[in-house]
Amino acid sequence: AVAFVEDRLDGRYENYPEAYIHFALHNIRREKLDTAEPLLEKAFTGYRTLNTPREIANSYLVEAELEFLRDNFALSLEHARTAAQIYDTIGASDADLAGAYLWMGLAFHETGVRDSALAYYQMTEELSRQIEDRDASWRVHYRLARLFNEEEDTERAAHHLEQSIASIERLRYFSISPELAGSFLTDKTTVYKYYFDVLFNDRRTQRPDQDKLFALSEQTRGRVLLDILGAGMQNIFSQIRESAELQETEERIVAVNRFIRDELAKPVNERRNELINEWQEQLTILQREYDTGRTEFAAAHPELSTMFLHEPLTIADIQTYLPLNTLLISYFMSDEYLYSFIISSGNADIIKLSVINEQLRYAVERLRIPFEDVKEGRIDLLRLEFDIDLSRELYAELIEPLAEYIDDKERLIIVPDGPLYYLPFELLIADDTGRYLLEDFVISYLPTCALIPLLHERRERETGTLQSLMAFGDPLARPEESEDKLIALSTEPQLRNILMTPLPAASREVEEIALFFDPDEVLILTGDVATESAFKRYASNYRYIHFATHGYVNELNPNYSALLLNPGEEGEDGLLHAYEIFPLTLNAELVSMSACETGLGRYMEGEGLISLVQAFFAAGSRNVMASLWSVEESTYPIMVEFYKNINNGMNIADALREAKLTFISTDSAFGTHPFLWAPFVLYGLP
């Protein structure tokens, strides 16, 4: 991008310094500080040439951030002070001054000058409160919390963390566009995590507040998915009049908030105070209407209020949905520690695990490396090894400390966090028995506990008369011209390679699965009829939807991850992207993806692992089966056995477990290797 801009500017970068300040910030956020520095210098040169004092001061604040990240706190302080002096001279806005004061406070804090740090933090807090700048507010309250916690003043630290989180939540729900929602919490989850550590280690209480800690853990994952599910426009909310009214009020609040913030960000002498007062009066009325509507909606639809109104989900709420034989294990990774919530129908606890977070990340990565080597062709299946000792180590760190809670349970629902999203727990080996966890428990997963009430409601919901099975297999067995069309539309080498690889066993897989159902209730689509347009037209009519095709993971933008189908009607490209699945309306009991890496995507702070799984949940499916690495065609018997078990009346989670155990017990030379059976995992509330 830099080269593109410089080529167009023909060396006259001083004419467009704004581009360079953005490039510099982009690199600073990614800790590429040496790359950012020359870009920032070009921005300085440009702004000085144009003689724009406010932008020069802004550049000094970027310089302050850069030096702060280099631990050059004295230089960071000097740059922030220079920016503040320029702002004061030109009569810049309070928002500008708040930014300068915050960086001065940060620099004083890191150099141990406590009183000066506190003074500048308090000045920042006062300005942010006056102009309702919630972005500055959450940052300064977080820094005040760290300052007081370092002095073991837990009460004041907790107060400021609550203020910081309140500002983040208000900013998120009433100030940002949907396009930015996915990355909004990326730099803010540290506040929730820090508050978690503070509360858990609070010496003032003998036992931490489990519900508050649980709510904090849930606020750090799956937020966009929950927003989509609670948007009032799709699926179960689409027919509820009150939800549409609430959404309209919320949109008006967002708009008025933006008007007020934009006006307050102007220099004092340019503000239209009469207009600000008028908007604030409107905002008060709208917020009153919104609060009244929320209360009425919660009373009329208690089963949906947690999802739609963003109300904290309590542990007691979760317990009402758990059978006696089931244990929910929700992991939470703070900046320093790994915790585990252990919840059953009659008991709940939280423990801090002894594993170090960085070591856990490394261990999960090492366990997966051989599987990645197979995918990349660096090793063949005959020479593939499985690190049994590492599997035992992870069992000892993640499962063994929970032994007293697990002993009398048959089912585990696991809510992962951090690197645990990439780990199929089924392949962990108990040190005392030498058995896979798969052999002792029925295991399923959830991206967030907040889905439980909604998935339970879907289970109880009348869906009318549904056909049994819709299955897609080997869409590459198509006329040459369709293949050419897809390849022409593909710009990524990885995707082109996928498009050129047929899956002959996939047709056999779906045809054998179909034998377990009434032929009149089955739609099998293979080759050139396995089209994207057919899925969009008919999928809402089926209880089970199965894909035996290629999956494509776009880690840069998970909304563009896709399942490979044939185009079908004009206007389709044969790539069923996640963003196309989100707005659909499905009634499926199960969507199963017998395709490579369909459970993978991009890990984002505040969201978890964003993949096709979330897309199918948003569209209405109650359970989603996906894979955590590349799968071999030789595993198709697992899928056939899986559906055979379902047709025999077995619970979906039991059906997948039994299919894996059957596969392991076969005479195949590789049947016991976790590479083949472990990637298939079930998400949902079976």
Side-chain angles (χ1 to χ4, degrees), residues 31-57:
E31 298 185 1
K32 297 180 179 179
L33 306 184
D34 290 340
T35 303
E37 188 169 26
L39 296 169
L40 185 56
E41 282 303 315
K42 289 184 176 183
F44 264 120
T45 301
Y47 286 133
R48 285 170 180 146
T49 301
L50 297 173
N51 191 25
T52 52
R54 182 174 182 272
E55 282 70 24
I56 292 172

Side-chain angles (χ1 to χ4, degrees), residues 138-185:
W138 80 259
R139 296 177 189 277
V140 71
H141 280 294
Y142 171 59
R143 299 306 304 194
L144 282 164
R146 295 195 73 98
L147 186 149
F148 287 119
N149 195 50
E150 289 164 7
E151 299 172 352
E152 299 188 358
D153 189 342
T154 309
E155 184 174 359
R156 294 178 76 179
H159 165 74
H160 284 291
L161 286 166
E162 289 169 0
Q163 293 295 310
S164 180
I165 290 172
S167 292
I168 291 172
E169 293 297 324
R170 191 97 178 146
L171 186 64
R172 187 174 191 276
Y173 287 124
F174 291 134
S175 301
I176 64 167
S177 64
E179 293 78 9
L180 299 177
S183 59
F184 175 76
L185 287 174

Side-chain angles (χ1 to χ4, degrees), residues 343-559:
I343 305 172
S344 65
S345 60
N347 189 33
D349 206 350
I350 174 174
I351 61 175
K352 183 192 292 184
L353 301 174
S354 59
V355 61
I356 297 172
N357 287 351
E358 285 305 313
Q359 291 179 351
L360 177 63
R361 289 188 179 91
Y362 180 60
V364 172
E365 182 180 330
R366 279 195 297 139
L367 194 70
R368 291 173 55 90
I369 282 175
F371 306 156
E372 293 294 323
D373 288 342
V374 173
K375 171 189 172 184
E376 299 298 331
R378 291 188 289 266
I379 189 172
D380 60 45
L381 195 56
L382 287 170
R383 296 187 295 117
L384 181 63
E385 297 181 355
F386 176 59
D387 195 332
I388 294 176
D389 291 337
L390 188 54
S391 175
R392 291 176 185 268
E393 177 186 322
L394 285 166
Y395 180 96
E397 292 170 339
L398 300 172
I399 299 298
E400 199 169 279
L402 318 180
E404 64 178 285
Y405 307 95
I406 289 177
D407 278 348
D408 61 340
K409 304 303 177 189
E410 299 173 6
R411 300 175 179 276
L412 304 179
I413 301 174
I414 293 172
V415 184
D417 197 14
L420 300 182
Y421 282 104
Y422 299 89
L423 176 68
F425 280 67
E426 289 91 331
L427 57 64
L428 301 183
I429 298 175
D431 213 21
D432 55 344
T433 65
R435 292 162 60 88
Y436 290 116
L437 197 63
L438 170 77
E439 298 178 80
D440 295 320
F441 299 98
V442 180
I443 302 172
S444 58
Y445 301 79
L446 282 171
T448 168
C449 293
L451 275 179
I452 291 177
L454 176 61
L455 296 181
H456 179 78
E457 189 276 338
R458 285 179 180 173
R459 179 165 58 188
E460 302 299 319
R461 183 177 47 185
E462 289 292 333
T463 56
T465 303
L466 293 176
Q467 300 292 303
S468 293
L469 174 70
M470 183 184 200
F472 297 84
D474 194 18
L476 286 174
R478 60 166 70 87
E480 193 67 26
E481 60 185 43
S482 293
E483 184 173 333
D484 289 343
K485 178 182 178 182
L486 267 174
I487 294 172
L489 290 169
S490 168
T491 58
E492 298 190 36
Q494 178 190 349
L495 188 50
R496 285 200 296 272
N497 292 336
I498 290 174
L499 295 170
M500 295 297 291
T501 308
L503 297 170
S507 295
R508 180 180 176 185
E509 178 178 315
V510 297
E511 289 164 0
E512 291 192 25
I513 288 172
L515 296 176
F516 301 120
F517 299 92
D518 183 341
D520 294 335
E521 295 189 354
V522 170
L523 179 60
I524 299 299
L525 302 169
T526 60
D528 58 356
V529 297
T531 65
E532 180 181 2
S533 55
F535 171 80
K536 292 178 178 178
R537 182 178 295 113
Y538 302 118
S540 62
N541 299 324
Y542 288 87
R543 188 176 305 278
Y544 303 109
I545 301 172
H546 182 72
F547 295 93
T549 181
H550 284 298
Y552 166 66
V553 177
N554 188 318
E555 294 186 0
L556 182 64
N557 188 342
N559 283 329

Side-chain angles (χ1 to χ4, degrees), residues 105-117:
L106 288 168
F108 278 123
H109 190 167
E110 292 299 328
T111 53
V113 187
R114 188 264 186 197
D115 290 343
S116 294

Side-chain angles (χ1 to χ4, degrees), residues 586-620:
L586 302 180
N587 298 297
E589 176 76 9
L590 170 71
V591 172
S592 54
M593 294 179 281
S594 178
C596 294
E597 300 180 334
T598 48
L600 297 184
R602 179 181 178 186
Y603 178 77
M604 296 178 67
E605 291 285 355
E607 300 304 327
L609 191 66
I610 308 299
S611 69
L612 290 163
V613 172
Q614 282 83 350
F616 280 114
F617 273 133

